[in-house]
Amino acid sequence: MKNKVKSAVVFAGINFFGLMALAQQSTKPPAPYGAIPSERQLKWHETEMYCLIHFTPTTFQNKEWGYGDADPAIFNPAQFDAGQIIAAAAGGGFKGIVMVAKHHDGFALWPTKTAAYNISESPWRSGKGDMVREFQQAAQKNSMKFGIYCSPWDRNNPAYGTPEYITIYRDQLKELYSNYGPLFMSWHDGANGGDGYYGGRKEVKKVDQSVYYDWMNTWAITRKLQPGASIFSDIGPDVRWVGNEKGMAPETAWSTIDLKGKDGKTPMPGYMDDENLGSGTRNGKQWLPFEGDVPLRPGWFYHPEQDGQVKTVAQLFEIYCSSVGRGGSLDLGLSPNTDGLLHANDVAALKDFGAYLKQVFAENVAKNAKITASNVRGKQKAFDTQNLQDNDRYSYWATDDQVHQASLVLDLPAEKPINLIQIRENIKLGQRVDSIKLENYIAGEWKTIGKPTSIGANRLIRLPETITAKKLRLTIFAPVSPALSEVGLYLAPEIKTNAIAKVMSAYAKNDWKIISPVSSDDLKKAIDQLAETSAAVTGTNELILDMGYPHLISAFGYLPAQDEQTAGRIEKFEYLYSEDGKQWIPAASGEFSNIKANPILQRTTLKAPVTARFVMLRAIGVTGGGQGFRLAEIEVFQ
């Protein structure tokens, strides 16, 4: 009997001290889970929206990428005003800019000592200007963060492709990172090697992207000179590319990732398996959030024919919800015109978008809700639900360590219409939540209205329609105790969404025919004026169009297939025309720059109009290699 009593006392003691240990543990903050962001990454997350500005001699050539052959004399934006551009970006709600100090054409927009091909050779500011400086000062004046992109590919420098060029490139970074104040971003992309006018010689120079730039040592310059700047590239190391130039991440997009190289080599910008860039990896080894980059117009550089194709508020908000609203950031491309200003349409679009965002987030109806949790960590006020309503990213509600599934009930003072739900995690503790079930209490029953995943720094859930809510429930699922920092309920004002755009030609296509390779129902899709259909040209690299009778032609257009398949897009092209379909005359040739990442309508304007009945589009090179190509439309403009 004594032994039984003794055993019971010992057991009770163990149980008591075990409970005490759990209680003490739950009064402390949760331990971080998995990979967590650095201080510079936290500041990047807080920025959320910034702009990328493309402006070089390429603008004056009406090209998307320059070859490096432009005469500096053409670069003379007489009305250039960095303040106008920066103020327009700020009006759109953007908090920073990344200036393209040198694009692939190799023309430096600051008076660099490393190469002759720079702004001092242009007539702008009588050869004494520094455009990087003017952008940096305008950003500072408007309280905007400032970042720099200096392209590693240089289609003008004769040393490109040799070890000597790496020294030149690193010296350019040192100049930029030493003389233009604190930077919030050091921006890089994966476009490296190809044809150009290197030192005036037209040739092709290819590099081994896996080793040529020795990125780890090159990025050491950033870490030394700009320790607060986040480095962006395909592979980070601070911010990754989302994998497309639509600016949109998938529905599930983790801020952690396991990067994948090619051929067993270490992943590098432009040399990696990019299949999981958008989605990331649940429980990935690195905290490497995504940037969604997209131009305000179809192209990154200014083209006058795109003045009427500036993105609408509806399009921008969809992109915003699919980038910032999926735990990443939005990097919107701005393109000054040849005057050195943003076009009035661009300024208006930014102003309207900024005003709309203010409307959307003007009232958080969850602010006055009574929030009841199924569990509060240690029953401590420091981890209570009040933290979900204080608009602080890093105060949070959390559960006890052993509670991995919990619920929050939001009881509003009165019924409210909502169509947008915002949820944040305290990412200082990692990305902890797997998914959340959202329910609305209707007529005595809980009705599911959403099941978001990958919450992270910010998650916006757009409901398919506006609902009336009085009581909402969030059921949270996680492998550890969840730690949510914010819940918001909003009513986004109605905006008209665009239907899938039809590709319109200056000419009606009703009687047009594709006569080569062979007329078929599939090839008719190349002239059906529908962007969402596509045709495949197989067994040849030529497509011949018969317009029925002679047309006056000032430009041709090629719209790549608008699906997710990147292979088969034309990179190098030639257009020819004919009156009889037998004798062919060359009309234009060149490259469709950046076609793999940004498959927009490629308009090729002729030097002088021609008259022809037949048109041939010849693919000289396609993405993925091989013969044949795919297209949504071929266009002919009057």
Side-chain angles (χ1 to χ4, degrees):
M1 183 68 180
K2 289 182 179 180
N3 288 337
K4 289 183 179 180
V5 172
K6 184 177 180 180
S7 298
V9 171
V10 171
F11 176 77
I14 293 173
N15 192 41
F16 172 78
F17 287 114
L19 290 173
M20 284 292 291
L22 284 173
Q24 290 173 357
Q25 186 182 36
S26 294
T27 61
K28 298 178 181 178
Y33 175 73
I36 58 174
S38 66
E39 284 298 319
R40 70 174 68 90
Q41 287 175 317
L42 288 171
K43 290 179 181 177
W44 174 87
H45 274 290
E46 292 162 12
T47 305
E48 293 190 337
M49 295 167 58
Y50 45 92
C51 294
L52 182 64
I53 300 175
H54 284 76
F55 190 43
T56 78
T58 303
T59 304
F60 295 80
Q61 296 175 306
N62 196 20
K63 293 180 178 179
E64 188 61 10
W65 283 3
Y67 283 94
D69 61 337
D71 187 335
I74 70 173
F75 190 78
N76 191 20
Q79 299 178 49
F80 175 75
D81 183 357
Q84 185 252 13
I85 299 166
I86 301 300
F94 293 84
K95 298 177 183 177
I97 68 154
V98 177
M99 189 217 169
V100 180
K102 184 191 79 170
H103 201 245
H104 311 322
D105 62 347
F107 188 79
L109 294 177
W110 78 102
T112 179
K113 298 176 181 178
T114 65
Y117 197 52
N118 70 70
I119 204 163
S120 67
E121 297 297 310
S122 78
W124 183 70
R125 303 280 194 257
S126 301
K128 299 184 183 301
D130 184 340
M131 193 163 282
V132 178
R133 176 74 63 205
E134 294 197 24
F135 270 115
Q136 181 256 330
Q137 290 176 340
Q140 185 177 21
K141 183 178 179 180
N142 285 270
S143 300
M144 297 274 276
K145 297 180 180 181
F146 186 62
I148 287 176
Y149 165 42
C150 183
S151 171
W153 183 20
D154 192 318
R155 300 175 96 171
N156 176 273
N157 200 299
Y160 183 79
T162 70
E164 178 189 353
Y165 174 75
I166 300 304
T167 300
I168 294 171
Y169 180 61
R170 288 175 175 173
D171 286 343
Q172 290 177 348
L173 295 181
K174 289 174 183 176
E175 287 182 351
L176 291 168
Y177 295 173
S178 299
N179 298 310
Y180 297 94
L183 304 179
F184 87 104
M185 290 212 77
S186 168
W187 204 95
H188 307 268
D189 71 9
N192 301 298
D195 56 354
Y197 285 80
Y198 305 97
R201 296 177 57 186
K202 185 177 182 181
E203 58 183 320
V204 176
K205 290 190 175 185
K206 295 185 177 181
V207 299
D208 184 345
Q209 295 170 319
S210 66
V211 297
Y212 179 60
Y213 298 103
D214 186 16
W215 279 116
M216 297 309 159
N217 285 315
T218 298
W219 284 330
I221 296 169
T222 305
R223 291 292 190 243
K224 179 180 179 181
L225 298 177
Q226 293 288 342
S230 286
I231 299 174
F232 164 86
S233 79
D234 291 352
I235 65 163
D238 295 312
V239 182
R240 74 180 194 262
W241 183 40
V242 75
N244 64 66
E245 292 186 358
K246 299 177 182 178
M248 303 169 75
E251 186 73 24
T252 297
W254 303 104
S255 290
T256 57
I257 194 171
D258 290 332
L259 295 169
K260 303 176 183 179
K262 285 185 177 180
D263 307 320
K265 295 184 179 180
T266 302
M268 288 291 163
Y271 192 86
M272 61 175 299
D273 183 344
D274 60 6
E275 66 178 5
N276 67 333
L277 282 180
S279 64
T281 309
R282 180 55 171 145
N283 298 319
K285 297 181 181 68
Q286 292 177 258
W287 186 275
L288 196 59
F290 72 85
E291 172 195 286
D293 59 323
V294 60
L296 180 59
R297 292 161 164 256
W300 291 100
F301 282 90
Y302 176 81
H303 306 284
E305 63 270 20
Q306 295 178 0
D307 285 348
Q309 300 178 55
V310 177
K311 288 181 174 60
T312 64
V313 170
Q315 290 171 315
L316 290 171
F317 188 60
E318 181 182 6
I319 293 167
Y320 174 86
C321 290
S322 301
S323 54
V324 177
R326 289 179 181 164
S329 70
L330 169 57
D331 185 2
L332 185 69
L334 302 182
S335 46
N337 59 24
T338 53
D339 289 330
L341 302 168
L342 287 186
H343 189 276
N345 292 354
D346 303 50
V347 175
L350 289 166
K351 180 181 178 182
D352 291 345
F353 178 56
Y356 183 74
L357 285 182
K358 288 182 179 179
Q359 281 185 284
V360 171
F361 297 106
E363 181 186 7
N364 178 5
V365 301
K367 198 82 173 176
N368 298 317
K370 178 183 178 183
I371 304 181
T372 305
S374 61
N375 179 268
V376 173
R377 185 176 184 84
K379 299 180 180 179
Q380 297 289 307
K381 190 174 181 180
F383 308 116
D384 205 349
T385 58
Q386 64 197 10
N387 296 324
L388 297 168
Q389 299 167 293
D390 63 0
N391 198 31
D392 186 332
R393 288 172 176 264
Y394 307 120
S395 67
Y396 58 99
W397 159 78
T399 67
D400 292 320
D401 283 339
Q402 69 274 24
V403 178
H404 301 169
Q405 178 178 327
S407 64
L408 295 168
V409 175
L410 283 70
D411 195 348
L412 305 178
E415 288 188 341
K416 289 284 187 176
I418 63 168
N419 55 21
L420 184 69
I421 300 174
Q422 181 184 45
I423 307 172
R424 294 185 189 272
E425 291 186 75
N426 177 4
I427 57 173
K428 288 184 177 181
L429 300 173
Q431 195 162 13
R432 308 168 74 86
V433 175
D434 284 329
S435 63
I436 294 178
K437 183 165 76 170
L438 305 173
E439 298 170 287
N440 188 20
Y441 194 66
I442 304 174
E445 294 185 28
W446 289 106
K447 301 289 187 181
T448 301
I449 57 173
K451 294 182 179 180
T453 56
S454 60
I455 306 304
N458 190 38
R459 190 69 161 91
L460 293 174
I461 303 97
R462 296 179 76 182
L463 303 180
E465 59 186 8
T466 299
I467 65 170
T468 299
K470 173 66 171 64
K471 187 182 293 187
L472 293 169
R473 183 168 68 186
L474 286 66
T475 305
I476 301 101
F477 305 90
V480 291
S481 58
L484 298 188
S485 66
E486 208 73 27
V487 174
L489 305 175
Y490 300 94
L491 178 64
E494 183 179 356
I495 45 178
K496 293 181 180 180
T497 56
N498 289 355
I500 297 177
K502 289 188 175 182
V503 179
M504 302 304 295
S505 170
Y507 291 107
K509 298 182 180 180
N510 298 338
D511 299 322
W512 292 10
K513 298 178 182 178
I514 302 295
I515 61 174
S516 179
V518 177
S519 182
S520 68
D521 288 341
D522 181 66
L523 288 175
K524 288 179 183 178
K525 295 174 183 176
I527 50 174
D528 65 2
Q529 300 188 86
L530 296 173
E532 59 266 36
T533 64
S534 60
V537 176
T538 58
T540 178
N541 65 345
E542 296 177 349
L543 178 101
I544 298 177
L545 170 68
D546 179 1
M547 297 183 289
Y549 58 87
H551 289 61
L552 181 68
I553 304 170
S554 64
F556 299 110
Y558 157 68
L559 181 70
Q562 295 297 290
D563 53 28
E564 298 301 318
Q565 184 177 330
T566 59
R569 294 174 182 168
I570 301 175
E571 291 183 305
K572 306 287 183 181
F573 71 91
E574 184 177 16
Y575 283 109
L576 302 95
Y577 66 96
S578 173
E579 294 182 1
D580 59 7
K582 298 178 181 179
Q583 300 294 320
W584 292 95
I585 302 171
S589 62
E591 72 176 14
F592 294 136
S593 304
N594 202 29
I595 195 75
K596 183 177 180 181
N598 193 25
I600 61 173
L601 176 67
Q602 306 291 320
R603 179 175 172 135
T604 303
T605 303
L606 304 183
K607 293 180 179 178
V610 300
T611 300
R613 171 179 170 177
F614 299 91
V615 172
M616 179 190 296
L617 170 59
R618 177 180 291 160
I620 308 299
V622 299
T623 56
Q627 196 174 46
F629 57 93
R630 302 170 67 244
L631 74 163
E633 290 291 311
I634 183 170
E635 298 289 336
V636 179
F637 297 93
Q638 186 173 9

